[in-house]
Amino acid sequence: KDAGGKDSRRSEWIGDGLQKVWANNKVVVAQALGKGGKVLVPYVQNGRPYVDVIDQSRMVITAMRGDEITGATLMADIGNVDGKVYYRFADYELVGNVHTIRNRATTDKGGEVELSIIPKWEGILPEIVINGVEHILFGYLKCPQDSREDKQIMGVPIPYGGEETIRDLHDCLNDMRREYRLKKSFVGAD
């Protein structure tokens, strides 16, 4: 908002990017609950804001301040050239009010290579430093289910801990289907 309380051009621009996420909020929340968490990663391309929604399995938290994430590595993208697989990682770090994003590419064996190895990664800056930042520059939707661990860093799926009960229910349903099939009436005539 500007000094008059109206939306500024900046807030409208950010709102435009977020609108795309909120349009799919039911899907994103359902996936977060089913998988334990989702990471909302904002970025700018051709002057327009976008948000990628990635699975929490593609994030490693590297630093925390209390219950706030201050460092993480995200597997941002996967590329393929001539049958070889390459990964792009984004290292996020918040120290004080300085936020640094380091982009790097690796082979499938972990050896570092130039970002330009994948044509669509060519324009990505290897390092971005932003001053005056209070929180890490991505969102993390973490499932509220308790993992029964001392430190709740990563989310767990809603049915966490109920896997055996779910398996028993599936077995019971399969037994009922089999019993029904075996007791189905049959009329034979010649």
Side-chain angles (χ1 to χ4, degrees):
K1 306 264 181 200
D2 62 15
K6 296 181 180 175
D7 285 342
S8 66
R9 283 191 354 207
R10 179 177 178 227
S11 65
E12 286 177 5
W13 182 80
I14 291 170
D16 184 41
L18 289 174
Q19 218 37 270
K20 294 172 184 122
V21 175
W22 301 143
N24 289 329
N25 67 358
K26 288 180 184 175
V27 172
V28 173
V29 169
Q31 288 180 353
L33 293 174
K35 294 186 168 207
K38 286 291 189 178
V39 184
L40 306 174
V41 186
Y43 66 98
V44 177
Q45 188 172 17
N46 298 326
R48 295 195 48 109
Y50 298 95
V51 178
D52 276 344
V53 180
I54 65 171
D55 194 74
Q56 73 172 359
S57 64
R58 291 174 48 186
M59 173 180 69
V60 175
I61 298 172
T62 58
M64 300 276 296
R65 181 175 47 221
D67 62 351
E68 184 177 348
I69 299 170
T70 57
T73 296
L74 306 177
M75 185 174 66
D77 202 359
I78 300 171
N80 195 320
V81 172
D82 298 327
K84 293 181 182 176
V85 177
Y86 298 94
Y87 300 95
R88 183 172 66 81
F89 293 96
D91 301 317
Y92 285 68
E93 182 181 44
L94 179 62
V95 178
N97 284 356
V98 179
H99 193 292
T100 306
I101 303 171
R102 289 181 189 88
N103 288 289
R104 57 191 170 87
T106 69
T107 65
D108 60 348
K109 304 227 184 324
E112 222 164 294
V113 294
E114 294 293 322
L115 281 167
S116 59
I117 194 119
I118 302 292
K120 70 177 181 177
W121 299 348
E122 258 183 317
I124 297 174
L125 296 173
E127 184 171 284
I128 302 165
V129 178
I130 306 167
N131 292 307
V133 177
E134 295 178 12
H135 305 283
I136 201 93
L137 295 178
F138 60 76
Y140 178 37
L141 296 177
K142 181 172 128 179
C143 181
Q145 180 69 23
D146 188 351
S147 69
R148 299 182 191 102
E149 294 178 7
D150 285 342
K151 193 146 179 136
Q152 294 282 312
I153 294 177
M154 301 297 277
V156 294
I158 283 288
Y160 179 80
E163 293 86 358
E164 187 176 347
T165 303
I166 293 169
R167 202 170 24 259
D168 290 346
L169 286 169
H170 282 285
D171 289 345
C172 184
L173 288 171
N174 287 334
D175 289 346
M176 288 169 58
R177 281 188 201 101
R178 187 180 71 244
E179 286 295 316
Y180 177 77
R181 264 187 263 124
L182 292 174
K183 294 200 175 15
K184 224 179 207 182
S185 60
F186 173 75
V187 177
D190 63 21

